[in-house]
């Protein structure tokens, strides 16, 4: 599905991604983990085309995506921070994104699921952070796309919505979609991820299933194995 | 582009800042016209305000809007659209909403007042045209600065410096160089130097429509030929267009390579 | 009582002269079919009445005291061959005649009506069109020039003449004439004790009125507009100019009124509107400028050269780009009790006089005088800031050039 070869990205003098190679197969949930500044977000944004890499190649379904934009019609994205034009209503924002994509959207179901019907005519600037995040999730899941990229999807969500989100993710997985997630919430990753990609200093440190990671680090759970990796490299 | 532009514009025309800006011009227009009762004097005062204020407001709003909508821009960037579409759409949406505040804010009082006495309509028109141009130019310049600077405090600082530079410092240097090189023929230099500053250029454009234009002729044949004829008007307008086109093109260029 | 007696005597004199005067009619089909013929037949005090029609005649010599009267459309067409009428006798009256097509010449000053060395003449209600010179009047006295229309289509100075050209004359009355598209509307050289009133002079390529070496004259209630350079008054003494209107003299070296080497003049109740320079004084001494209205000029007042003991008071200075331009650092002229629209002071004691003095010379005006190109900075924020600082602490402009009693309200 995604084929990344020798990807390099510098911000000024700082090398964020160093010769990174990664291939992600179609179907399943991939969690991208790593300490702060390890290049998780940069990696995801490179796939989305929001960050322009210095060198390297990214292919989706065999086609290079660098400088392209059409492929994004088949990619859903949930950004980390939900911040929308403050004077548009929720409905207008949904219409706008639907307008841009020109694709069928399952927004009504999601609106009901997250209980934001009553906010539809409210201005986005008047919504609470949690509600904004729900709108954010609706935007990310309302289209039927092959690739779904979620950047810290759990931030600011109440427990009920968290359950709905997990259900949604499971549902998409069942449809055979590829899902990329970054998250700091270890329990969430443990609960949903099929495979884990661990980034360290701009390189793939580990890629495999959760069980593989635990065996390799000889730890009982994800939290400890991550701690182990970090101690091992920085101690 | 039209889709982006449409929604950004919808968003901005409902913003209280846009309202405040609109109401400011509305109040200014009514006060100038109905308290002074002298259209030409009102136009000159309005010119002083427009030539300084529209660049300042364009600059501040441009930078502010860019930094405030960074996350949303990111969301848009993940949509199947060209980058240039997103930035140019945002830029036009912002410039147009500001320009519209100006046009309506001053236009309404003038409609109330000026429909009967249409002699000042051209002077007034040049005022609005110059104001609209300045808005577009300075929003574009502010966008360039904001896009090039991740750090918003830096970006804000540079933008204000840019405004200060073009509104005041440039003229100071211009004056000094004219006084220092007094012994040389300066008329061509002076005209060219004016072209390089959109604020000066708009000011001259408005003054050309007002009767003071004859004063320019007083200084010599070159000024008279250039500023005393429609040639000056046409060239000034063309250069103003360039002042919009080139920064817009730069936004496009910079945005293409920029990371978010 | 005495006045009415004089009037009665005058009237009876006029009446008696009419009694023995006869009228000779000139028309195309009459016994007398040319004007020259009619004049030849006339004797003292006769009237030559020219009926409607076009008379192709030129150099018509009038050397006796007669009246030549037209009927509205009685046209002398000189066909560019020379002068129209030549007046060589005292007490000639020309009325309601039209003279047209006076050709240009570089050697002779051809005029529609040429007057030389006579007294007590009257030229009224005449129309002079397509002329080189309109009226050329030399060494003549006690004449009246009234209600005439003079026009041409002058393009350049060297090949055009003046509307009413007066040279070495005195005691003339020039009023209610309209002059347009000539070189100078009215030109006076060595003319004294004459009055120029209620004339309309416009679209002339040089001056609306041109005054040289002419003393003790007055001009009132004239209107001068859209002339090439305005009105020039030069090398003259003891003049009164009141209630005139100088306007629309826009051009690179244009002004409403130029004063050059003028002594002892009264300039009052004039309106100067929309001129590049309202009054340009280059060497004017003991001139009183009062109750004038300076409106929307580039420079309301430009003072240069030796100008001493001028008094500017109770004038209105409204919406001029520059109120006063002054090229010297010393000041011997008085500005007092004027209204300045740019005055920003206050009047706490409510006596109608501003409590802080007004400085009519702006720093920018000084700079533009030095380096004209800086005019491009007109009304820029930077210039306003400089003007403000100069206002607070003057460095470049004369310290004592102040209006200590600026009026709060404009004078009506």
């Amino acid at each position: 599905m995604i084929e990344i070869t020798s990807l390099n990205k510098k911000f000024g003098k700082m090398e964020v991604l160093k010769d990174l190679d990664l291939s992600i197969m179609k179907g399943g949930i991939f969690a991208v983990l790593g300490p702060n500044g390890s290049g998780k977000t940069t990696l995801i944004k490179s796939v989305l085309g929001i960050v322009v890499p210095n060198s390297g190649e990214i292919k989706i379904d065999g086609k290079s995506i660098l400088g392209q934009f059409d492929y994004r019609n088949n990619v859903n994205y949930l950004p980390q921070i939900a911040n929308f034009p403050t004077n548009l209503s929720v409905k207008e924002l949904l219409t706008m994104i639907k307008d841009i994509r020109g694709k069928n959207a399952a927004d009504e179901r999601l609106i009901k699921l997250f209980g934001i019907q009553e906010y539809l005519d409210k201005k986005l600037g008047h919504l609470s952070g949690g509600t904004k995040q729900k709108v954010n999730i609706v935007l990310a899941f309302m289209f039927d796309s092959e690739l779904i990229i979620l950047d810290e999807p759990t931030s600011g969500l109440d427990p009920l919505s968290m359950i709905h989100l997990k259900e949604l993710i499971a549902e998409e997985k069942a449809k055979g979609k590829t899902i990329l997630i970054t998250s700091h919430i270890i329990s969430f990753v443990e609960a949903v991820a099929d495979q884990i990609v661990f980034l360290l200093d701009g390189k793939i440190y580990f890629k495999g299933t959760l069980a593989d990671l635990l065996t390799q680090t000889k730890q009982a759970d994800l939290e400890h194995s991550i701690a182990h990796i970090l101690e091992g490299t920085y101690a | 582009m039209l889709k982006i532009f449409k929604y950004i514009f919808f968003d901005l025309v409902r913003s209280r800042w846009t309202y405040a800006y609109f109401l400011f011009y509305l109040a200014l227009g009514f006060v100038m016209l109905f308290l002074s009762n002298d259209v030409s004097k009102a136009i000159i005062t309005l010119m002083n305000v427009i030539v300084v204020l529209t660049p300042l407001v364009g600059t501040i709003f441009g930078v502010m809007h860019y930094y405030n909508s960074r996350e949303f821009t990111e969301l848009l960037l993940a949509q199947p659209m060209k980058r240039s579409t997103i930035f140019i759409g945002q830029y036009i949406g912002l410039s147009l909403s500001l320009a519209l505040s100006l046009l309506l804010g001053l236009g309404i009082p003038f409609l109330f007042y000026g429909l009967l006495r249409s002699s000042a309509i051209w002077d007034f028109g040049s005022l609005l045209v110059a104001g609209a141009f300045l808005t577009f130019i300075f929003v574009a310049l502010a966008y360039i600065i904001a896009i090039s600077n991740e750090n918003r405090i830096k970006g804000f600082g540079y933008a204000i410096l840019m405004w200060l530079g073009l509104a005041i410092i440039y003229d100071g240097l211009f004056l000094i160089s004219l006084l220092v090189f007094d012994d040389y023929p300066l008329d061509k230099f002076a005209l060219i130097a004016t072209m390089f500053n959109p604020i000066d250029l708009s000011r001259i454009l408005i003054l050309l429509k007002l009767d003071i234009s004859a004063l320019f002729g007083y200084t010599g044949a070159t000024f008279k030929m250039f500023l005393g004829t429609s040639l000056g008007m046409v060239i000034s307008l063309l250069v103003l267009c360039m002042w919009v086109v080139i920064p817009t093109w730069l936004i496009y260029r910079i945005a293409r390579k920029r990371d978010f | 009582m005495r006045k009415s007696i004089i009037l009665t005597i005058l009237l009876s004199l006029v009446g008696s002269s009419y009694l023995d005067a006869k009228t000779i009619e000139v028309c195309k089909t009459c016994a007398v079919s040319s004007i020259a013929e009619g004049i030849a037949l006339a004797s003292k005090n006769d009237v030559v009445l020219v009926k409607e029609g076009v008379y192709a005649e030129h150099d018509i010599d009038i050397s006796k005291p007669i009246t030549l009267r037209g009927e509205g459309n009685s046209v002398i067409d000189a066909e560019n061959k020379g002068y129209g009428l030549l007046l060589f006798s005292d007490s000639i009256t020309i009325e309601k005649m039209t003279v047209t097509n006076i050709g240009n010449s570089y050697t002779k000053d051809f005029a529609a009506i040429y007057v030389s060395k006579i007294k007590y003449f009257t030229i009224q209600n005449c129309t002079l069109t397509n002329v080189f010179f309109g009226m050329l009047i030399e060494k003549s006295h006690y004449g009246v020039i009234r209600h005439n229309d003079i026009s041409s289509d002058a393009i350049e100075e060297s090949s055009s003449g003046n509307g009413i050209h007066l040279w070495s004359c005195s005691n003339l009355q020039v009023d209610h004439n309209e002059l347009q598209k000539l070189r100078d509307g009215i030109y006076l050289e060595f003319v004294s004790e004459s009055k120029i009133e209620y004339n309309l002079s416009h679209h002339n390529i040089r001056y609306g009125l041109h005054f040289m070496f002419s003393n003790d004259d007055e001009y009132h209630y004239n209107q001068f507009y859209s002339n090439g350079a305005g009105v020039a008054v030069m090398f003259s003494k003891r003049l009164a100019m009141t209630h005139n209107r100088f306007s629309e003299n826009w051009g690179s070296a244009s002004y409403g009124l130029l004063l050059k080497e003028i002594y002892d003049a009264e300039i009052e109740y004039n309106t100067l509107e929309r001129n590049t320079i309202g009054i340009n004084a280059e060497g004017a001494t003991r001139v009183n400028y009062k109750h004038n209205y300076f409106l929307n000029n580039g420079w309301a007042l430009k003072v240069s050269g030796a100008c001493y003991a001028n008094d500017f008071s109770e004038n209105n200075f409204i919406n001029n780009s520059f109120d006063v331009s002054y090229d010297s650092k010393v000041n011997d002229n008085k500005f007092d009790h004027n209204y300045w629209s740019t005055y920003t002071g206050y009047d706490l004691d409510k006596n109608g006089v501003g409590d802080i003095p007004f400085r009519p010379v702006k720093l920018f005006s000084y700079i533009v005088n030095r380096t004209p190109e800086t005019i491009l900075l007109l009304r820029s924020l930077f210039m306003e800031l400089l003007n403000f600082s100069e206002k607070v602490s003057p460095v470049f402009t004369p310290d004592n050039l102040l209006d200590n009693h600026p009026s709060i309200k404009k004078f009506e």
Side-chain angles (χ1 to χ4, degrees):
Chain A
M1 174 84 196
I2 308 176
E3 198 68 50
I4 299 174
T5 41
S6 49
L7 193 65
N8 276 295
K9 180 65 199 175
K10 278 187 207 166
F11 288 116
K13 281 183 182 165
M14 197 171 63
E15 286 186 74
V16 181
L17 300 178
K18 297 172 199 161
D19 251 347
L20 185 139
D21 294 301
L22 177 66
S23 74
I24 285 171
M25 307 301 276
K26 191 173 158 58
I29 301 169
F30 296 80
V32 181
L33 303 181
N36 293 334
S38 60
K40 288 172 299 191
T41 304
T42 309
L43 178 63
I44 285 178
K45 285 186 174 174
S46 299
V47 174
L48 284 164
I50 299 176
V51 164
V52 185
N54 297 102
S55 67
E57 181 61 271
I58 302 173
K59 285 180 178 168
I60 292 183
D61 292 332
K63 273 183 237 154
S64 173
I65 59 148
L66 296 177
Q68 300 296 308
F69 59 91
D70 281 333
Y71 76 96
R72 289 200 284 263
N73 212 356
N74 218 359
V75 180
N76 289 355
Y77 173 53
L78 178 75
Q80 206 170 62
I81 304 164
N83 204 348
F84 307 112
T86 47
N87 297 296
L88 290 184
S89 68
V90 175
K91 207 190 247 168
E92 282 168 331
L93 177 68
L94 293 172
T95 324
M96 172 184 187
I97 302 297
K98 282 192 278 186
D99 245 15
I100 291 171
R101 292 243 173 173
K103 229 160 102 163
N104 284 332
D107 50 335
E108 304 219 342
R109 187 178 79 91
L110 294 172
I111 289 165
K112 266 187 208 140
L113 185 65
F114 287 96
I116 51 172
Q117 302 96 316
E118 53 179 308
Y119 299 107
L120 281 181
D121 291 317
K122 287 247 166 71
K123 283 188 176 178
L124 286 154
H126 296 161
L127 299 186
S128 71
T131 318
K132 271 196 225 169
Q133 184 65 1
K134 286 178 194 168
V135 174
N136 207 7
I137 292 172
V138 172
L139 284 176
F141 282 94
M142 68 184 183
F143 298 107
D144 183 26
S145 298
E146 289 302 311
L147 179 61
I148 299 168
I149 296 175
L150 310 174
D151 199 358
E152 298 289 351
T154 55
S155 58
L157 280 186
D158 56 79
L160 182 65
S161 303
M162 188 82 112
I163 293 169
H164 288 316
L165 176 64
K166 282 182 191 165
E167 285 169 4
L168 269 181
I169 294 173
E171 216 174 90
E172 295 296 320
K173 182 189 163 186
K175 286 185 202 161
K177 305 292 175 60
T178 313
I179 302 161
L180 272 181
I181 301 178
T182 72
S183 181
H184 279 100
I185 315 292
I186 300 296
S187 60
F188 179 75
V189 174
E190 276 181 311
V192 300
D194 297 324
Q195 294 232 23
I196 287 171
V197 175
F198 198 92
L199 276 177
L200 204 57
D201 291 336
K203 286 191 167 168
I204 307 287
Y205 183 83
F206 171 84
K207 179 175 174 268
T209 61
L210 179 58
D212 290 340
L213 184 64
L214 296 184
T215 338
Q216 193 178 322
T217 54
K218 303 189 186 81
Q219 299 291 326
D221 55 28
L222 181 58
E223 204 166 359
H224 284 91
S225 58
I226 289 173
H228 180 84
I229 296 171
L230 295 181
E231 270 167 23
T233 44
Y234 293 110
Chain B
M1 186 143 74
L2 206 65
K3 288 172 189 164
I4 297 283
F5 155 73
K6 193 169 77 183
Y7 288 98
I8 297 295
F9 183 72
F10 275 169
D11 174 38
L12 284 167
V13 290
R14 288 183 216 154
S15 141
R16 59 202 150 105
W17 292 111
T18 317
Y19 278 122
Y21 190 49
F22 163 72
L23 288 174
F24 167 77
Y25 276 127
L26 193 69
L28 184 73
F30 271 112
V31 167
M32 285 324 307
L33 284 176
F34 290 92
L35 289 190
S36 83
N37 248 322
D38 178 350
V39 192
S40 64
K41 199 179 179 186
I43 285 183
I44 284 176
T45 309
L46 285 175
M47 183 199 82
N48 285 338
V49 174
I50 283 182
V51 157
V52 173
L53 200 67
T54 45
L56 182 63
V57 169
T59 306
I60 291 177
F61 277 34
V63 176
M64 237 168 52
H65 183 260
Y66 175 83
Y67 286 130
N68 277 342
S69 55
R70 269 260 283 275
E71 289 85 9
F72 186 61
T73 306
E74 220 171 86
L75 180 76
L76 291 178
L77 283 167
Q79 306 302 324
M81 269 185 304
K82 266 198 200 159
R83 282 185 162 206
S84 50
T85 310
I86 297 167
F87 288 100
I88 305 297
Q90 283 186 334
Y91 159 63
I92 295 179
L94 177 60
S95 310
L96 206 67
S97 69
L98 288 179
L100 218 62
S101 295
L102 168 77
L103 296 185
L104 291 179
L106 288 183
I108 290 170
F110 263 83
L111 277 183
F112 267 94
Y113 182 91
L115 270 187
L116 301 170
R117 293 205 221 165
S118 57
S119 63
I121 205 96
W122 290 111
D123 304 347
F124 181 63
S126 72
L127 201 67
L128 292 187
V129 167
F133 263 115
L134 283 175
T135 303
F136 272 85
I137 291 167
F138 277 82
V139 171
L141 294 177
Y143 249 69
I144 291 173
I145 289 173
I147 293 181
S148 321
N149 286 283
E150 193 84 2
N151 185 331
R152 18 184 107 194
I153 296 180
K154 257 193 187 169
F156 221 89
Y158 287 143
I160 293 294
L161 216 61
M162 181 264 302
W163 172 79
L164 212 61
L166 289 175
I168 300 176
I169 298 168
Y170 188 94
D171 289 351
L173 296 176
F174 179 56
L175 178 66
I176 290 168
S177 50
L178 284 182
L179 292 182
V180 168
F181 300 105
D182 209 4
D183 301 335
Y184 301 89
L186 288 171
D187 38 8
K188 285 209 179 84
F189 162 76
L191 280 179
I192 291 167
T194 307
M195 295 289 158
F196 279 101
N197 185 341
I199 297 183
D200 283 343
L201 192 58
S202 324
R203 186 169 45 77
I204 301 282
L205 194 70
I206 300 170
L207 288 180
L208 281 184
K209 282 300 311 155
L210 301 177
D211 295 319
I212 339 174
S213 59
L215 283 189
F216 293 126
Y218 188 78
T219 51
T222 312
F223 279 16
K224 194 181 178 188
M225 196 198 80
F226 186 78
L227 299 171
T229 60
S230 52
L231 177 77
M233 190 76 73
V234 171
I235 291 183
S236 303
L237 276 173
L238 272 179
V239 175
L240 273 182
C241 286
M242 293 308 289
W243 266 104
V244 177
V245 170
I246 293 173
T248 309
W249 178 75
L250 276 175
I251 293 177
Y252 166 77
R253 276 292 300 270
I254 296 171
R256 225 171 40 173
K257 299 227 168 116
R258 192 75 184 91
D259 303 309
F260 293 89
Chain C
M1 193 60 198
R2 228 171 88 192
K3 261 188 188 169
S4 64
I5 290 172
I6 293 171
L7 202 69
T8 324
I9 294 168
L10 270 174
L11 274 176
S12 58
L13 274 175
V14 171
S16 63
S17 66
Y18 262 101
L19 280 180
D20 43 295
K22 61 180 187 297
T23 298
I24 299 165
E25 285 197 9
V26 178
C27 74
K28 286 286 169 188
T29 51
C30 301
V32 183
S33 64
S34 88
I35 297 169
E37 206 179 324
I39 291 168
L41 290 171
S43 47
K44 195 179 171 189
N45 296 338
D46 284 353
V47 174
V48 176
L49 182 64
V50 183
K51 294 283 189 183
E52 273 188 32
V54 178
Y55 301 83
E57 294 177 55
H58 58 94
D59 294 339
I60 302 169
D61 189 315
I62 307 177
S63 304
K64 44 194 153 187
I66 57 162
T67 296
L68 179 68
R69 186 177 297 144
E71 280 202 319
N73 212 1
S74 315
V75 181
I76 298 173
D77 184 349
E79 294 177 316
N80 299 324
K81 286 176 181 164
Y83 293 88
L85 298 165
L86 303 160
L87 277 52
F88 296 127
S89 157
D90 290 351
S91 310
I92 295 177
T93 299
I94 309 290
E95 281 177 355
K96 293 176 84 175
M97 289 300 302
T98 298
V99 183
T100 187
N101 298 331
I102 304 300
N104 296 356
S105 163
Y106 290 100
T107 51
K108 283 197 162 174
D109 291 338
F110 288 133
I113 299 177
Y114 174 72
V115 178
S116 182
K117 298 176 189 166
I118 63 173
K119 285 177 188 159
Y120 311 111
F121 62 94
T122 301
I123 302 173
Q124 59 188 5
N125 297 314
C126 289
T127 305
L128 314 178
T129 62
N130 193 24
V131 296
F132 181 41
F133 279 78
M135 297 179 195
L136 185 53
I137 298 172
E138 294 173 352
K139 297 190 175 170
S140 298
H141 311 278
Y142 303 101
V144 174
I145 299 166
R146 180 171 289 161
H147 284 300
N148 301 293
D149 271 339
I150 306 179
S151 65
S152 186
D153 48 2
I155 298 162
E156 54 183 29
E157 275 186 27
S158 59
S159 61
S160 53
N162 303 324
I164 298 176
H165 184 107
L166 309 173
W167 181 71
S168 217
C169 297
S170 73
N171 296 292
L172 298 183
Q173 172 81 26
V174 179
D175 61 70
H176 295 94
N177 301 290
E178 184 170 355
L179 310 120
Q180 55 179 314
K181 295 182 184 156
L182 299 144
R183 181 169 65 191
D184 292 341
I186 303 173
Y187 179 92
L188 295 87
E189 193 174 348
F190 305 111
V191 175
S192 60
E193 290 163 77
S194 296
K195 279 190 178 177
I196 316 288
E197 293 173 323
Y198 299 102
N199 297 290
L200 209 59
S201 183
H202 58 96
H203 295 98
N204 297 299
I205 55 174
R206 197 165 66 185
Y207 299 118
L209 172 68
H210 194 173
F211 234 75
M212 303 275 273
F213 311 105
S214 296
N215 303 329
D216 305 295
D217 295 304
E218 296 176 24
Y219 63 103
H220 311 293
Y221 300 101
N222 299 290
Q223 289 191 41
F224 306 100
Y225 60 91
S226 303
N227 294 302
V231 168
V233 179
M234 304 180 180
F235 311 102
S236 302
K237 290 170 192 165
R238 296 178 300 279
L239 302 171
M241 322 176 198
T242 72
H243 298 99
N244 300 291
R245 188 182 166 84
F246 306 84
S247 59
E248 308 289 344
N249 296 298
W250 281 129
S252 49
S254 229
Y255 29 74
L257 173 60
L258 168 72
L259 301 176
K260 197 175 174 101
E261 301 304 323
I262 300 299
Y263 296 88
D264 303 293
E266 306 297 321
I267 300 180
E268 295 179 1
Y269 297 103
N270 298 292
T271 300
L272 299 112
E273 191 178 358
R274 295 152 66 87
N275 304 292
T276 304
I277 302 171
I279 295 182
N280 191 2
E282 292 180 30
T285 299
R286 294 185 301 276
V287 178
N288 294 324
Y289 308 78
K290 284 192 179 140
H291 309 290
N292 298 296
Y293 213 109
F294 295 86
L295 189 65
N296 290 326
N297 300 290
W299 283 267
L301 195 58
K302 197 161 190 174
V303 179
S304 54
C307 289
Y308 300 109
N310 292 293
D311 184 356
F312 300 88
S313 54
E314 297 185 33
N315 300 291
N316 284 317
F317 290 87
I318 297 169
N319 295 347
N320 303 295
S321 294
F322 302 98
D323 287 323
V324 177
S325 157
Y326 213 84
D327 75 346
S328 113
K329 278 204 78 173
V330 288
N331 176 36
D332 185 46
N333 302 303
K334 198 176 104 193
F335 288 85
D336 213 7
H337 291 287
N338 296 289
Y339 170 77
W340 311 87
S341 67
T342 45
Y343 181 61
T344 50
Y346 42 80
D347 177 24
L348 289 183
D349 51 6
K350 298 278 173 210
N351 62 351
V353 173
D355 297 347
I356 27 175
F358 177 76
R359 301 187 155 276
V361 181
K362 297 276 176 292
L363 174 61
F364 188 31
S365 152
Y366 174 84
I367 291 175
V368 168
N369 246 347
R370 235 194 85 165
T371 310
E373 285 85 359
T374 53
I375 189 78
L376 283 175
L377 289 170
L378 182 69
R379 293 190 197 288
S380 68
L381 184 57
F382 181 75
M383 234 38 253
E384 305 283 323
L385 291 174
L386 270 192
N387 277 343
F388 180 73
S389 66
E390 174 75 7
K391 189 165 132 188
V392 176
S393 57
V395 181
F396 299 99
T397 50
D399 272 345
N400 58 345
L401 210 164
L402 289 175
D403 187 333
N404 280 311
H405 306 95
S407 172
I408 290 293
K409 278 194 171 165
K410 70 179 170 197
F411 301 99
E412 290 308 323

